[in-house]
Amino acid sequence: MEKEKVTSQKVRSRLKELEDEKYKEFHSGLLPGTENILGVRLPALRSLAKEIAKNDWEEWFFQKNDIYYEETMLRGLVTAYAKMDCDTRLSYIRAFVPDINNWAVCDCVSNTYKDAKKFPEKYWEFIAPYFLSDKEYEARFGAVMLLSHFVKEEYVEEGLLRLEEIHQEGYYAKMAAAWAISVYFAAFPERMLKMDSIIAASSISVICPKSGVRSSIFSSEAGRSYADKSTSELAPISFPTFSQLPT
């Protein structure tokens, strides 16, 4: 079957058919400062992205002439859904990341790169530079990719070290780093509390300097006693999941 050429005009026409004024009002409240929202729900965007991914979309992707928030979301989702080898996909992701300009595009797209589970080494190496970026949403991208695909025991210490590398001062970069730390702690509380290198305490101190958390609490008698408690005795930790993102 011959592939249809994807153009900005066609994409905008489809998006206009899917816009929802009430959802626009709701979603705009979650994205302060983002004024170009049509109000298309995420499941509809995902379906449209999968359709686009089966057609001739590459030229449209690289034009980067988005008018609407949803166009940027679509371009990111297409890089996740289109069939291609891992190295090619990473090249498209690299081209897309500088266009991320809000938390919703960052988080929804990052969570959609499912082949990170198939090629963890390549993705782990790929995301490394983003933790050092001086751009807010590039730093957030690194943190969200980490918590989306690398919340595994073998990545705990290296993951926290990477989060410590985030020195971007933007709110959304710092919140993503704090979120990632909370996810690691919820997943591996005993491992986090018993780390000989005290990376956990250092990470929290870097991300939340006013919290009063210091490495000494983990080396004190009280700290060691707390670390020796069983997981069942630890206070439950609540943190957001991608299923809670607005649809």
Side-chain angles (χ1 to χ4, degrees):
M1 182 181 296
E2 185 177 353
K3 293 184 177 181
E4 180 181 351
K5 186 177 181 62
V6 178
T7 67
S8 295
Q9 183 178 0
K10 290 178 181 178
V11 169
R12 288 167 193 157
S13 178
R14 293 292 301 278
L15 288 173
K16 286 283 189 177
E17 294 172 1
L18 297 168
E19 66 180 322
D20 180 330
E21 191 62 33
K22 288 186 178 179
Y23 183 71
K24 173 183 177 179
E25 182 179 352
F26 166 73
H27 199 52
S28 295
L30 301 176
L31 293 170
T34 303
E35 306 294 340
N36 58 342
I37 297 173
L38 284 173
V40 181
R41 295 177 181 270
L42 186 56
L45 285 173
R46 290 191 182 279
S47 295
L48 181 54
K50 291 176 182 178
E51 181 182 333
I52 292 172
K54 296 177 182 177
N55 288 288
D56 183 5
W57 56 271
E58 289 84 353
E59 183 179 343
W60 162 77
F61 173 85
F62 282 113
Q63 285 178 346
K64 298 191 175 191
N65 60 350
D66 307 340
I67 294 177
Y68 300 112
Y69 150 81
E70 286 86 353
E71 289 181 87
T72 307
M73 180 75 84
L74 277 176
R75 288 200 302 112
L77 292 174
V78 167
T79 67
Y81 290 133
K83 291 184 178 180
M84 63 185 85
D85 62 60
C86 182
D87 289 337
T88 302
R89 191 181 314 282
L90 291 177
S91 70
Y92 276 105
I93 298 173
R94 185 178 293 107
F96 174 72
V97 170
D99 299 334
I100 298 174
N101 57 10
N102 60 71
W103 68 263
V105 169
C106 177
D107 296 13
C108 293
V109 172
S110 297
N111 187 49
T112 308
Y113 294 123
K114 301 303 183 183
D115 63 347
K117 292 183 179 180
K118 187 176 181 181
F119 305 103
E121 296 86 0
K122 288 190 174 185
Y123 273 85
W124 184 250
E125 180 181 356
F126 174 78
I127 65 174
Y130 292 104
F131 296 90
L132 298 168
S133 176
D134 60 357
K135 297 181 180 179
E136 182 173 14
Y137 290 105
E138 289 190 3
R140 184 180 177 91
F141 171 78
V144 176
M145 285 292 290
L146 188 150
L147 67 87
S148 298
H149 307 292
F150 296 99
V151 181
K152 303 174 184 178
E153 193 163 8
E154 62 267 33
Y155 290 107
V156 173
E157 292 199 25
E158 274 195 80
L160 290 173
L161 284 171
R162 288 191 174 185
L163 291 170
E164 283 190 46
E165 292 176 342
I166 295 179
H167 292 105
Q168 215 290 330
E169 293 296 321
Y171 172 82
Y172 291 101
K174 286 196 167 186
M175 286 304 295
W179 180 15
I181 291 171
S182 76
V183 171
Y184 271 128
F185 196 98
F188 310 107
E190 291 183 320
R191 173 73 181 276
M192 291 278 286
L193 289 169
K194 291 181 178 180
M195 282 183 184
D196 292 337
S197 59
I198 319 300
I199 296 173
S202 178
S203 297
I204 296 171
S205 179
V206 168
I207 303 304
C208 308
K210 295 182 180 180
S211 66
V213 176
R214 292 295 182 268
S215 298
S216 59
I217 69 168
F218 288 89
S219 58
S220 66
E221 183 176 349
R224 286 195 299 273
S225 174
Y226 184 69
D228 286 338
K229 290 184 178 180
S230 66
T231 305
S232 61
E233 293 177 302
L234 296 175
I237 297 172
S238 176
F239 55 90
T241 65
F242 286 101
S243 64
Q244 294 172 311
L245 291 176
T247 59

